[in-house]
């Protein structure tokens, strides 16, 4: 029996307001808990699928700079 983690996360965050999404991200980053990483990954996937090329370039640049 498989568990669809992506689907479960999407179900939990679907319909969240901009403020709720931000609060979730801030909380996950501040806590630094490993268990929050899949949720952030799903949120990033949603962003990526809806971003234009300029937004994708900008986020990749920011991440790259942050990894220096």
């Amino acid at each position: 029996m498989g568990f669809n983690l992506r689907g479960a996360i999407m179900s939990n965050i679907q319909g969240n307001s901009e403020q709720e999404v931000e609060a979730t991200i801030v909380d996950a980053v501040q806590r630094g808990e490993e268990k929050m990483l899949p949720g952030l990954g799903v949120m990033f996937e949603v962003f990526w699928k809806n971003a234009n090329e300029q937004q994708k370039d900008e986020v990749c640049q920011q991440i790259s700079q942050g990894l220096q």
Side-chain angles (χ1 to χ4, degrees):
M1 174 186 334
F3 179 70
N4 183 349
L5 184 58
R6 179 183 280 111
I9 292 167
M10 283 297 292
S11 177
N12 285 337
I13 63 175
Q14 206 160 25
N16 280 6
S17 69
E18 185 176 331
Q19 292 81 17
E20 290 169 319
V21 169
E22 181 178 3
T24 299
I25 294 168
V26 168
D27 184 53
V29 171
Q30 286 178 346
R31 288 179 188 239
E33 295 177 0
E34 298 286 321
K35 68 181 182 181
M36 303 295 271
L37 293 176
L40 291 174
V42 170
M43 287 185 185
F44 185 77
E45 181 180 41
V46 170
F47 163 79
W48 195 261
K49 286 180 177 179
N50 292 285
N52 62 39
E53 289 305 312
Q54 181 180 349
Q55 292 169 319
K56 289 177 181 179
D57 289 345
E58 289 172 4
V59 78
C60 288
Q61 181 182 13
Q62 289 294 321
I63 291 170
S64 178
Q65 287 176 0
L67 295 173
Q68 300 292 318

